[in-house]
Amino acid sequence: MTAPDEFELIRRLFAPLARHPGALGLIDDAALLDCPSGEYLVLTTDAIVAGVHFLADDPPDLVARKLVRVNLSDLAAMGAAPVGLLMAACFGERVTTSWLEEFAEGLAADCETFGVSLLGGDTVETRGPSTFAVTAVGTVEIGKELRRSTARPGDRVWVSGTIGDGALGLIAAQNLATRLSPDHVAFLADRYRVPQPRVALGRELAGVATAAMDISDGLVGDLGHICAASGVLAVIEAARVPFSPAAAAAISVGLGEGLTTALTGGDDYELLFTAPPTFDERIAAIAARIGARLTAIGTIMPPEDNAGGGSDGSRVQVIGTDGRALALARGGYRHFAS
Amino acid sequence: MTAPDEFELIRRLFAPLARHPGALGLIDDAALLDCPSGEYLVLTTDAIVAGVHFLADDPPDLVARKLVRVNLSDLAAMGAAPVGLLMAACFGERVTTSWLEEFAEGLAADCETFGVSLLGGDTVETRGPSTFAVTAVGTVEIGKELRRSTARPGDRVWVSGTIGDGALGLIAAQNLATRLSPDHVAFLADRYRVPQPRVALGRELAGVATAAMDISDGLVGDLGHICAASGVLAVIEAARVPFSPAAAAAISVGLGEGLTTALTGGDDYELLFTAPPTFDERIAAIAARIGARLTAIGTIMPPEDNAGGGSDGSRVQVIGTDGRALALARGGYRHFAS
């Protein structure tokens, strides 16, 4: 590092992003937020680590944008409107001033895109991989928040966008998808590096979705979390799961574990939600209004009488194109799996 | 790691700490907080890295408690009452299940001590040193928040507790203070490992202090930040700075850089504040009421006509016992210093 010092660095790169008056120009020990009457402040935190959640040689502006977006995706899953971000940045030894400048450019671009302000932060050094933790702050009208624990038997299971691009994109971003066309490689890698948080969709789903979450750890595993939180089971049909042309090509050539990677891999940051069939038309109208692809892929089922234990993943059955249940190697991404 | 998986780990160790109803049992993507009318929510984030902010072989419960306390210290500096914490935990390869259990015990102990709830979090793996980022949430009555930018010429400069114990304690904790008595070594190392955030004091200072911050990067450097934010200068007298018996002994044997380390080293987490001399009696009453040691160590001065640039540290003059200005080697802890 050749930067003069932490405080000068913060001032020069990050203070211009602190547009919210409560950020106090990043000068003070903390930010001040007032919460409109009748609303909740919504708070979520997510960390990303070089070599785990992004590639160490990913373009720095895209690292910053992924950092912002994975957190905004959590706000979207709650139906919240984003307000701002606090960032704890642990810069590794490979970080140079120009890396920082590009990182700040990406941060600025996404603060602009999503209308959020930097609210506070901490910058420290680490001898390990660069690590960034963001706490995202949003607001949601009290009673309109989306939860995981409220799915009901008979609900349809919906997803936004296309599934599997993130996990297949990680393989593509590592130049390991040699049997795919350059266009498909570029599409998937971009989906891995720059997820699209479904902020507008999340806000539209208030009063429509019975339960929601974002798909960060894989479709099957995350649906398992909704099922466990709601005390229900789910069945989805692999043939109904929407795949991008690039993901379909990747599955057909068996990239990674093919369909298993697409259904259980992480990093999609699409919304997964449940809603009663009576809302099909409302959901179609939402899709048309905000230009999102929304697909019903299955059904929430009542719990079995003897379904006391079992992992979250075992609560989800995936039916293959032959009408038989698929045996998936894993139920979703697990940190610390032994 | 031999822990079964991330979700089971979170459930078992951390969910019991999520007592606030808005934490939603850590099941959802985000926490929901309502803010009482007439109050601000106060948000701050701080990260600690093994080998930088704590020692890799520090007892895990003390690492957790330091993590909580450095963040509560920032809330104290704003005059806020703590409510809860979001934690992004990046566990390194050396972390075992028993390490995690002890870490969670420390976290639980301090959640109890300070009446705060875990509100959310993220746990990830890192191939580097364990790294933890906490966002602390508090509340303060609107208009009673303490700021850095509001010190006025003629104000006295005050500090709580004793100064220099943190930086000297880091040396002691590394078993490098061989010329000190075991009692002094233990006292200083404890001050480094388990800081005492001045939460009660911060709340008492509303309407009394003109400006405040916590001393995390060193007395002289942090006073420089108040001066820069307020557009003023400061003069402090080394002879008035309160030292613990252990720190005084360490300075007398020249531990580290002696007086320079004590005045410019980090990790004290005492409050630094300014107040007009007319409030001397009120401040003495506060000290008596909450059992805190509060010491006036200097004066805020008007800016010089030609004081355009210069570092924050150059805004602070330290007068030695001989009445002459001390030349300190550095103005405070700097990350990324070249």
Side-chain angles (χ1 to χ4, degrees), chain A residues 179-239:
Chain A
R179 295 172 65 194
L180 287 187
S181 74
D183 280 0
H184 285 165
V185 168
F187 173 86
L188 293 172
D190 181 66
R191 287 273 290 159
Y192 170 74
R193 289 199 177 103
V194 188
Q196 304 294 331
R198 300 295 182 181
V199 175
L201 175 60
R203 301 184 68 188
E204 293 277 352
L205 290 176
V208 176
T210 47
M213 69 180 293
D214 71 326
I215 305 176
S216 55
D217 290 343
L219 170 63
V220 172
D222 284 334
L223 181 54
H225 295 325
I226 285 182
C227 288
S230 301
V232 296
L233 306 177
V235 177
I236 60 174
E237 293 175 56

Side-chain angles (χ1 to χ4, degrees), chain A residues 3 5-7 27-29 31 33 41 43-44 46-47 51 74 122 127 135 147-148 214 217 334-336, chain B residues 3 5-6 27-29 31 33 41 43-44 46-47 51 74 122 127 135 147-148 214 217 334-336:
Chain A
D5 72 33
E6 178 190 12
F7 306 105
I27 287 171
D28 281 276
D29 287 291
L33 285 185
L41 274 188
L43 296 171
T44 181
D46 256 333
D74 282 323
D122 189 22
R127 268 161 272 179
T135 296
R147 301 282 309 272
R148 291 188 186 180
D214 71 326
D217 290 343
R334 290 281 194 280
H335 302 292
F336 302 132
Chain B
D5 72 34
E6 177 189 13
I27 287 171
D28 282 277
D29 286 290
L33 285 185
L41 276 187
L43 297 170
T44 181
D46 256 332
D74 282 323
D122 189 22
R127 269 160 270 179
T135 296
R147 302 284 308 274
R148 291 189 186 180
D214 71 324
D217 290 343
R334 289 282 193 279
H335 301 294
F336 302 132

